[in-house]
Amino acid sequence: MASLNLLVGVCLVYVAFLFSVAFAAERAAVRGRSGWLRTPLVYTLSLSIYCTAWTFYGAVGYAARSGMEYVTIYLGPSLVMIGWWWVLRKLVRIGRSQRVTSVADLISARYGKSNTLAIVVTLMAVVGVTPYIALQLQSVTLSLSIFAGPPDVDGLNGLNTLSAGFWVAAGLAVFTVLFGTRNLNANERHDGVVIAIAVEAVVKLVALMAVGIFVVWGIAGGIGPMMERIDSSALGTWQLDRSRWAALTVLSAAAFLCLPRMFQVLVVENDDERHVQIASWAFPVYLMLMSLFVVPIAVVGLNLLPAGSNPDLFVVSVPLSQGQTGLAVLSFLGGFSSATSMVIVATLALSTMVSNHVVMPIYLSIKPGGASMSGDVRDVILRARRLSILLIIALGYLYYLLSGGSGALAAIGLISFAGVAQFLPAMLGGIFWRGATRIGALSGLCLGFAIWVYASLLPSFGQGAVLPVSFFEIGPWGIGWLRPYAFFNIEGIDPTVHAVFWSLVLNTGTFVVASLLSFPKPLERLQGAQFVNVFDHSGQARGWHASVAASEDLMIMAQRILGATEAQALFRTAAKEQGMTGHLPEPNPAFLERLERELSASVGTATAHAMVSQMVGAASVSVEDLLAVADESAQMLEYSSQLEAKSAELSRTAGQLREANEKLTQLSVQKDAFLGQISHELRTPMTSIRAFSEILRDADGLSVAEKTKYASIIHVEAIRLTRLLDDLLDLSVLENGQVSLNSATGPLEAVLDQAVVTAQASGDGRLQIVRLRAAADTVLTTDMDRLGQVFINLITNAQKYCRADAPQLEISVRADADVLSVSFRDNGTPIPDAARALIFEKFARVADGDGSGAGLGLAICREIMARLGGDISHVPQAVGNLFVVQMPRDAALAAQPV
Amino acid sequence: MDKHVLLVEDEVNIIEAMRFLLTREGWKVGTHSDGATAVSAIRAAQPDLVVLDYMLPGKSGIEILTELRALPDFAALPVLMLTARGQSRDREKAEQAGVNRFMTKPFSNTEVLNAVRDLVRV
């Protein structure tokens, strides 16, 4: 019998061997000579972490307890690999193109990068995998205990399984930390680990086969006698429970896709999509070999060993009972390999999830400065990884303690399977159904997981341990249809089938219904399209390393962006540094990174990354990249639209300047015309004055009558000049808005009366003025003097220009609510249409005036009325002219410039 | 023999002054104050001299002069143009139209009489 010390020593040597293999692999990978690391064979062997200690030890135990049912555990993954390899291919493609690092990452990325979803999946995975890790602890501990011999009555010589479990757990934790978190790799790939688990896959297969061969040929004496033994054993008579078979096959298939560690090796560590095709037949072959001797070992174990021996340990205890210590140690190593490879990859995958989705978001939100990937952040990540590894293994140990380390391995494994199988609807729905939404995934996952916890996990501690016994008998709070083993009062189903069936059915149902009822966010839609149509987006299937960017392509692109001289200098320098002779360097990661950095200065980080990725073909452009590119484009667009706006503004300014220029030109023309008019109006009377004053001075023999006449002409013309100057000044003041108005309140009729009296005093009296006093008592508030000036002007105009035989002016007032209108209607010749447009302009005089006005009167009237908040207009008439003055009853008399 | 002058002017007081001055110089003075009909009035009157105001109702002095110069009989008729606008551009326009003498109001009586004498000395 081998001593425990020897076993521990063997384990240590074995672990050291694994370390050296892993170390060599990583060094090779760093040097870029990793071709042999990433072959279809290694990929297939790495998938063997599906076969854990559960399969290694438990399958035999399972067969000894339940007959052929253990086959389901192999059947599910085989069906997936053979029948569903295209699902795997799709997962691998998505994983690549989206740079997915874990199953939580996949689900969260698919549903719009939802961090909530990532956290939920992470926590569920941790909880779901905990029993599985406990299972590994238990199997290693149990196998150790076999070597320690049966415990005697005092328990002194035997192995204390609980403390042994602790040491196994501690050892596994240290092992994993050392293995998996030595450094940080951005793509979460672990060359060393993969090669180590491939080696372990060989060890466990060889160990199991060796035990099988020994059993068949060494004990039973060949195939024929072996078959007879099987036929005569109880195994041959086991009834097949169809519902369990179906449920377990589905379950193991689901778990194969959903287990975090399986996702890690299937998708994250995958190096070439084509490896999936080869693994699709090679892995089932491996599984078949693993299961080949399960039944013989179980049957022989049942025959040879005393009743009550733990069938889970037949693989070790059978050779041991035959004195084959070496074989037993080999078998133990196989089991040890199974357990360690599972624990390493599972905790690595889980710790990635925990650190990426739980620790880092919290850390980054606490730490100011954001997500710059500086050195200290890397340290934080590594520390988070190590801590989560310890935590996860500690949880597994806790479960092992709580469950008493007594349950059958297969039963514990199935609980884990059922837990992680809850990811399946969200995962498959996510990659095949664009309508799947975040809300759907989240609600399906939560409900399914809750049912699993309630109907599978908690009962696994034993009835009455966590859930009270009453729950199982009458239901929680007496609600019968909620009993953990009899939902909806449907009884008599196997508890495993029951939990799997209800959790998956309700999970899927909720997922579908909630997806249909909810509306995805834009990012969800985009990601959904990317996932479902991944083959449309990401080009041909090819090996990631095999695709080497053509340096020329990179050069062409770089020239376009950086300019020919700079790009060539960059490439030449890089080539020289690499020791190459030509102008083009090897497109190795260091160079690509440098190129990307150079490019990003010109086109933005995201665009540069997307461009280089496209060229290198290492990864297709993810939605995130595209969004970032869109972001950058948007910024450029905004910049260009700013430029556009500026140019529009400039042309608008130019237009305004042109307009102003035109206006100035026009004003200049108007000013010239105005000056010409003023000049004319001033020079004309002055001409008369000068001529007659010279006549009076120079001419002899003028009669008194002539002298008087000429003097009075001079007088009249002088007055005309004065009035003209007065009007000009008045108009100027009014136009500039500098006029001060004196507001007063009084009857409108009084103003009119005064105006009539004033006008008549200077008129010739021919004009008959008719007053219609319908609104005699109208009172208004305005500048009375200015309003009177307007009235006088209108009456004077009528006196001057009304050429009727019996000239008449009818003045009437109409008072509306707010507006007062005064009409001046004469019976003279209507102003011609052509002139009417001009009469309110300065110096506009209708032809054949008597020359006594300068043509400023109506212009002044218009300005005054504008100041008073009113208006003056000429209304064409069939006979005569009608001027209408309108004003507010209560003028707000602020002098406003027009 | 009396020379015949036609005053085309719309300001009554200026007509009055010019009539007084020219009559004393021995001119036979005719007047017309509407621009629109001025050309036909000149053709009808056949004067030896026309004193033409620049701004007239109906038609400007420039227009009248241009039309007049287009008529062979009146291409050489002495024309004295008077203006109250006093802008140099007006003088250019008048000279282009074929004016003989251009004077800006107000003018001295001596000035205008000298101009008239110059124009008809031939």
Side-chain angles (χ1 to χ4, degrees), chain A residues 761-785:
Chain A
S762 64
D764 57 8
R766 284 182 68 239
L767 183 74
Q768 192 198 347
I769 294 173
V770 179
R771 301 283 305 280
L772 302 178
R773 298 177 185 270
D777 51 353
T778 305
V779 172
L780 82 165
T781 303
T782 192
D783 186 315
M784 299 297 184
D785 292 341

Side-chain angles (χ1 to χ4, degrees), chain A residues 126-463:
Chain A
V126 169
V127 175
V129 171
T130 296
Y132 215 145
I133 289 170
L135 186 156
Q136 312 305 319
L137 297 179
Q138 184 173 333
S139 60
V140 173
T141 314
L142 281 177
S143 59
L144 277 173
S145 71
I146 291 288
F147 285 95
D152 55 10
V153 188
D154 304 327
L156 287 176
N157 293 337
L159 187 74
N160 183 334
T161 51
L162 292 185
S163 71
F166 173 81
W167 288 112
V168 171
L172 281 176
V174 171
F175 189 60
T176 310
V177 167
L178 289 177
F179 241 108
T181 62
R182 289 198 309 116
N183 51 30
L184 198 60
N185 193 337
N187 57 15
E188 307 295 355
R189 290 169 53 168
H190 310 81
D191 291 300
V193 172
V194 169
I195 211 73
I197 60 178
V199 169
E200 291 192 298
V202 176
V203 170
K204 61 193 175 191
L205 182 64
V206 167
L208 201 59
M209 297 279 285
V211 173
I213 290 167
F214 170 71
V215 162
V216 173
W217 282 276
I219 300 175
I223 296 173
M226 187 67 235
M227 294 310 280
E228 283 165 28
R229 276 193 190 225
I230 293 171
D231 285 343
S232 62
S233 75
L235 259 70
T237 64
W238 284 108
Q239 289 288 313
L240 294 184
D241 180 339
R242 279 163 202 270
S243 69
R244 257 185 86 85
W245 263 71
L248 293 181
T249 308
V250 169
L251 193 57
S252 58
F256 182 68
L257 286 173
C258 298
L259 278 167
R261 70 170 196 280
M262 290 317 296
F263 191 87
Q264 179 79 27
V265 289
L266 275 171
V267 177
V268 180
E269 307 281 358
N270 175 279
D271 195 50
D272 187 332
E273 226 170 89
R274 290 168 300 193
H275 294 175
V276 177
Q277 264 165 292
I278 294 165
S280 69
W281 58 263
F283 185 60
V285 168
Y286 182 91
L287 289 181
M288 200 194 72
L289 291 176
M290 283 295 280
S291 61
L292 201 57
F293 294 102
V294 166
V295 170
I297 296 170
V299 169
V300 169
L302 285 174
N303 284 354
L304 285 182
L305 297 177
S309 300
N310 188 345
D312 281 337
L313 296 170
F314 282 174
V315 182
V316 177
S317 54
V318 167
L320 214 53
S321 70
Q322 301 300 308
Q324 297 288 337
T325 311
L327 185 60
V329 170
L330 177 65
S331 175
F332 169 78
L333 269 187
F336 182 75
S337 289
S338 309
T340 49
S341 59
M342 180 273 167
V343 172
I344 290 167
V345 183
T347 49
L348 271 184
L350 288 174
S351 71
T352 305
M353 285 157 69
V354 170
S355 75
N356 284 5
H357 302 303
V358 182
V359 179
M360 286 320 289
I362 294 172
Y363 174 78
L364 290 176
S365 71
I366 292 170
K367 191 177 153 63
S372 65
M373 190 70 172
S374 59
D376 67 322
V377 175
R378 290 173 72 91
D379 284 348
V380 170
I381 294 178
L382 276 180
R383 227 169 289 150
R385 296 268 161 97
R386 287 172 187 148
L387 265 177
S388 12
I389 287 171
L390 296 181
L391 178 84
I392 291 159
I393 293 181
L395 273 178
Y397 178 65
L398 192 68
Y399 184 92
Y400 169 72
L401 285 184
L402 288 178
S403 64
S406 59
L409 297 180
I412 302 173
L414 285 178
I415 291 168
S416 269
F417 273 24
V420 294
Q422 303 306 323
F423 300 149
L424 194 68
M427 204 158 104
L428 290 186
I431 66 173
F432 288 108
W433 182 34
R434 287 186 64 172
T437 69
R438 188 178 66 90
I439 304 290
L442 200 57
S443 40
L445 277 171
C446 289
L447 183 66
F449 193 71
I451 293 171
W452 171 77
V453 168
Y454 179 67
S456 189
L457 180 69
L458 296 182
S460 74
F461 296 107
Q463 297 195 8

Side-chain angles (χ1 to χ4, degrees), chain A residues 672 675-677 679-680 683-684 686-688 690-692 694-695 699-700 702 706 709-710 713 717 720, chain B residues 11 13-14 16-17 20-21 24 53 55 57 83-87 89 104-111:
Chain A
D672 284 353
L675 285 176
Q677 282 285 1
S679 169
H680 181 263
R683 284 170 191 274
T684 302
M686 273 200 268
T687 309
S688 303
R690 183 162 179 191
F692 283 111
E694 282 182 17
I695 290 170
D700 302 325
L702 289 176
E706 277 175 325
K709 186 185 174 190
Y710 297 158
I713 288 177
E717 294 287 35
R720 181 177 159 191
Chain B
E11 282 284 332
N13 291 334
I14 294 176
E16 180 86 38
F20 178 85
L21 291 170
R24 279 173 54 132
D53 191 18
M55 280 176 74
T83 182
R85 283 165 49 100
Q87 282 167 320
R89 268 210 312 280
T104 303
K105 298 173 186 175
F107 40 76
S108 77
N109 293 348
T110 325
E111 223 178 332

Side-chain angles (χ1 to χ4, degrees), chain A residues 767-823:
Chain A
L767 183 74
Q768 192 198 347
I769 294 173
V770 179
R771 301 283 305 280
L772 302 178
R773 298 177 185 270
D777 51 353
T778 305
V779 172
L780 82 165
T781 303
T782 192
D783 186 315
M784 299 297 184
D785 292 341
R786 286 296 186 177
L787 187 58
Q789 195 183 341
V790 172
F791 293 162
I792 291 166
N793 220 306
L794 288 172
I795 297 166
T796 312
N797 276 355
Q799 284 173 335
K800 283 187 208 161
Y801 304 117
C802 186
R803 296 276 188 262
D805 292 337
Q808 185 184 324
L809 181 68
E810 181 189 287
I811 301 174
S812 59
V813 174
R814 200 176 81 224
D816 294 330
D818 299 320
V819 180
L820 301 176
S821 305
V822 185
S823 298

